[in-house]
Amino acid sequence: MAEKEKEKIEEEKEETKEEEIEIESYEQAIFKKVKSILFGVFSPKMIQKMAAAKIVTPELYDKEGYPVDGGLMDARLGVIDPGLRCRTCGSKLKECLGHFGYIELARPVIHIKFVDTILKLLRCTCRECGRVLIPKNKIEEVSAALEQIEEERSLEEKRKEIKQLSAVLRAISKCPYCKAKQYPILLEKPTTFIENEKRLSPIEIRTRLEKIPDDELKLFGLNPATVRPEWMVLTVMPIPPVTMRPSITLESGERSEDDLTHKLGDIVRINQRLFENINAGAPEIIIEDLWDLLQYHVTTYFDNTVAQLPPARHRSGQPLKTLTERIKSKEGRIRHNLAGKRTNFSARSVISPDPMLDIDEVGVPIEIAMKLTVPEKVTEWNMEYLKRFIEKGSDKYPGANYIIRPDGKRKKITDETKEAFLEELKPGYVVERHLIDGDVALFNRQPSLHRMSMMAHRVRVLSGKTLRLNPAVCHPYNADFDGDEMNLHIPQTEEARAEAEILMQVRTQLISPGFGLSVIGCTMDSISGNYLLTKELEFSRQEAIDLLYSIGVDDFSKLPKKKVVNGKEIFSVLLPEDFSYKGKSKNGEEVVIKKGQLIKGVIDKASLGSESGLMLRELHKRYGPEKAIELLKKLFKLGIKVLLKIGFTTSVADTDLPTEIKDEIKQILDEAEQAVDKLIESYNNKTLETFPGKTLLETLELKIVEVLNRARNEAGKIVAENADKNTPTMIMADSGARGNLLNLAQMAASVGQQALRGKRIERGYKNRTLSHFKKNDLGPEARGFIRDGFKAGLNPAEFFFQAITGRDGLMDTALRTPKSGYLYRRLANAMQDLKVEYDGTVRDATGKIIQFKYGEDGIDVSKSEAGEINVARIIGGKS
Amino acid sequence: MTKFKVSQHILVPKHIKLSEKDKKELLEEYHISLKELPKINKKDPAIQQLDIKKGDVIKIIRKSPSAGEAVFYRVVV
Ligand SMILES: [Mg+2]
Ligand SMILES: [Zn+2]
Ligand SMILES: [Zn+2]
């Protein structure tokens, strides 16, 4: 049956049962510490001893639909139907873990997982007497050496040594004890052993393995107390309990069996046939065939992905999932169920920006808020408050989805039940109410590379379907809005909430432990806005008050009582009265703030930006995270509101240049092309002087690239000098909001040389890049120099070269991201338990010293300003 | 190739052998035994000109981009 259907049915079952689930009290649990784990192989005796039933028939159910005694679904193997009791232990479903059964195989078969060990043992021991092919006097010596290796190096090394040893033993052709001649043994995969071109039957193999003495097994790393090699050839086989392979009843009433049950059915059936044929004295050839078939079924039961065997399939053609497939690979028990971490009370959705949200808020769609719940304990004091949620029910917001009785029973709130629950509600009950504004939530974006990738936000329930966040926190999450999704988790206990609020609140994460500056700051428009405001804008006092009021300021006493106030004065209203700061703006001009007044300079990325805002860092240091985030919130909004007020947009006209300038640029490029032509000429008549260690051609390439780059830079410089400083494009570049001069030069003047693997483009056709160039043309335009700017437009060849480097860049990022991600993971895993001790040393978990002083200078970067510690201020209390 | 003194190469930091007294003080300062120290091979070229035996502690003074000079100790194994 299709896996999906099964899951669906199981899920439905879960849901109906959910209400009945009891939370067991912890007092019943017994805690014990695991001292060691012993691995071994079951002996046939053990298999029989631990079995609750002997399985003899492949039939599953009789005509009435009851399990057949001695069948694969024998009632003694456990219960899978609710209401029934186990015939072995008498427990109900979920209490009884199930019990093993066994079948007796008509002929022994090889266990596929032990083929390598069996082969090794057969090759290294005598075919007659079973002793290891090492002379008596040397055995002691060898085993002592092995022991020593294990002690001094590792078990791994010992295994390697054993491997080498067995390679030597293979070559011995005469037993040192009974002098019997030894033959090489070959393995015909998967399970056939060949000696002397004659096939060894599992029976023969088993007899040989039986002969190996206990004390010589240690040489192969086997402990005879838990492993006897002959147990690796199966004579009886354990049948796993039915609880491990439950059957499922379909809607049609039909039973659908687990893959393992199917496989076991095959084994039992063939086994029965083999028994019958042997007893009836059938010809050896028929018995051999059945035996091989039994071997096939047993092998695929253990592992259905053996390379040499066709996998056993369903009637639908899809391969069966047998034991090995259940365990291994990403979807297996280990990685999927044991190591896989999944959690309830979480949500995931596309994110979108909302600058009107606070920085430490997260916008949650109402639909999500009605699924995610917070458990609140009922007390005398909040009873009425919680009853209001129950009254609303589970499909009106804000309502509640479940109540939990003091005995741990969870009950769903429905229209039918809610009246009763309202009556019943008493202190001690728990109400799982919908998410409301102000609840604590953990917000996370993968890859979670640093601690700022998961921060605690306050919930704001909003309409719409996306999770919303303030664009200022994009930076720590490394999020943008081109379809990124993020996860939301709701802490469920007081402890979890307290921990989240104290350790993970956005405000506690402002200063990066990586470089000591704020990871959250103004971005994009909020930088341009503040830049413009503090640079040149003026407003009437009324307008200024409107502006300030719209960002949440209601105290205007700091605003000068003038008709017209300038931007610096408006900006200063936000600053604390006693704040003084001296810094530099992005282009190196001085910024001076004295007693809460911006006196000189413009505010730009160097003051407010994330990972660069020094004024922000200073505010954080002087006034603490609380005040800093409050200020940041206002500064951010101020920038945006300023732009809204004055209107701000970028256009193609921003890249317009006066005709003289255009001519000047044209001339520079012309000259460069001529210079290149000259270089090529001198190359052709060999007058070009070679650089040491380079060939003539390499020298030419270097010189050409240099000339062309110089030309482009010069053109860029002219653009920068002559571009209108008041265009939005230049404002954005100057303030550090977005874009740089190179971008502008590429638009206005020339895109420049396209490089592929550090060279000019030289591939494509034979000796040329495109078919309409002359062969061996080394000129700029034939090798990917784009003379035009984006605004003027590219000619077809230029466009093609740009596409080449564009695609190369795309491929590069697509391939590099997973690689560097893995590299980072390995680094993080290797260093995860290093710790700075109180004496300043960095040590690992065992106390070994890794560094004598953290970072060699002992500075806690998160307490520094961009890596520097200002000792004078710490001592003197001022900057 | 001409032979040169490894210890005088510009890229090789200064290696100094600690006296028994200094060694004792070092171990006391960090509350450690030799086991907790980083190791240096007895045959390491940088310490060949020093008179060393197993268990000696080597003081290494390196140039550091963050601290100017960084001191490091390694035990000879
Ligand atoms: Mg994205
Ligand atoms: Zn049972
Ligand atoms: Zn022998």
Side-chain angles (χ1 to χ4, degrees), chain A residues 42 120 153 258 448 663 709 854:
Chain A
F42 275 137
K120 190 170 75 185
R153 284 182 266 173
D258 191 273
S448 314
D663 290 342
N709 277 343
Y854 171 68

Side-chain angles (χ1 to χ4, degrees), chain A residues 445 480 482 484:
Chain A
R445 181 183 177 273
D480 48 38
D482 59 3
D484 289 25

Side-chain angles (χ1 to χ4, degrees), chain A residues 839 841 843 846-853 855-857 859, chain B residues 30 32 35-38 62 64-67 70-73:
Chain A
D839 63 358
T841 55
R843 301 195 192 202
T846 62
K848 280 193 181 130
I849 293 181
I850 307 295
Q851 254 180 0
F852 286 85
K853 234 178 181 186
E856 298 188 340
D857 54 7
I859 287 178
Chain B
Y30 290 109
I32 50 170
K35 227 173 64 204
E36 272 82 35
L37 278 179
R62 302 201 184 107
S64 155
S66 58
V71 184
F72 213 78
Y73 300 93

Side-chain angles (χ1 to χ4, degrees), chain A residues 472-615:
Chain A
V473 286
C474 280
H475 190 256
Y477 290 119
N478 190 22
D480 48 38
F481 303 106
D482 59 3
D484 289 25
E485 292 184 51
M486 282 179 74
N487 310 318
L488 191 77
H489 300 266
I490 310 300
Q492 295 288 307
T493 63
E494 289 302 339
E495 292 95 317
R497 269 191 293 275
E499 200 165 279
E501 285 191 61
I502 290 167
L503 300 173
M504 302 173 75
Q505 274 266 309
V506 175
R507 66 184 55 144
T508 64
Q509 303 294 318
L510 281 184
I511 304 304
S512 158
F515 41 80
L517 287 175
S518 180
V519 274
I520 300 167
C522 293
T523 48
M524 310 270 168
D525 277 4
S526 57
I527 288 186
S528 324
N530 278 303
Y531 172 84
L532 277 176
L533 182 73
T534 53
K535 190 176 174 221
E536 55 192 21
L537 288 185
E538 281 183 343
F539 291 107
S540 73
R541 191 161 196 278
Q542 190 53 52
E543 278 178 317
I545 286 175
D546 283 350
L547 191 65
L548 286 167
Y549 191 72
S550 73
I551 61 166
V553 177
D554 45 18
D555 175 11
F556 308 107
S557 53
K558 260 191 96 183
L559 199 65
K561 304 209 168 24
K562 297 189 293 190
K563 249 211 173 104
V564 174
V565 285
N566 68 34
K568 286 195 172 66
E569 285 160 345
I570 298 172
F571 182 85
S572 301
V573 173
L574 299 183
L575 300 174
E577 299 267 3
D578 56 345
F579 181 62
S580 296
Y581 166 78
K582 240 183 217 153
K584 289 229 165 80
S585 71
K586 193 168 160 276
N587 49 29
E589 284 164 32
E590 229 185 6
V591 175
V592 184
I593 296 171
K594 236 185 210 156
K595 297 236 156 72
Q597 284 295 325
L598 175 61
I599 293 173
K600 202 178 150 203
V602 287
I603 300 299
D604 57 19
K605 194 182 177 194
S607 300
L608 290 180
S610 45
E611 289 199 358
S612 59
L614 285 166
M615 192 184 107

Side-chain angles (χ1 to χ4, degrees), chain A residues 78 86-91 96-99:
Chain A
C86 171
R87 257 182 58 196
T88 304
C89 68
S91 316
C96 164
L97 293 177
H99 311 273

Side-chain angles (χ1 to χ4, degrees), chain B residues 28-62:
Chain B
E28 270 166 18
E29 187 190 338
Y30 290 109
H31 300 282
I32 50 170
S33 63
L34 287 176
K35 227 173 64 204
E36 272 82 35
L37 278 179
K39 299 178 185 99
I40 186 169
N41 196 305
K42 190 164 181 265
K43 294 192 182 117
D44 192 302
I47 53 172
Q48 287 316 298
Q49 83 289 356
L50 301 174
D51 172 31
I52 40 155
K53 59 181 188 301
K54 277 188 186 179
D56 281 342
V57 174
I58 306 291
K59 179 181 189 177
I60 304 165
I61 302 169
R62 302 201 184 107

Side-chain angles (χ1 to χ4, degrees), chain A residues 4-18:
Chain A
K4 263 187 199 149
E5 276 174 82
K6 263 191 220 172
E7 260 169 41
K8 209 170 141 199
I9 292 157
E10 262 170 324
E11 251 169 53
E12 273 165 16
K13 259 192 202 165
E14 284 288 321
E15 223 149 305
T16 48
K17 256 178 268 156
E18 200 166 15

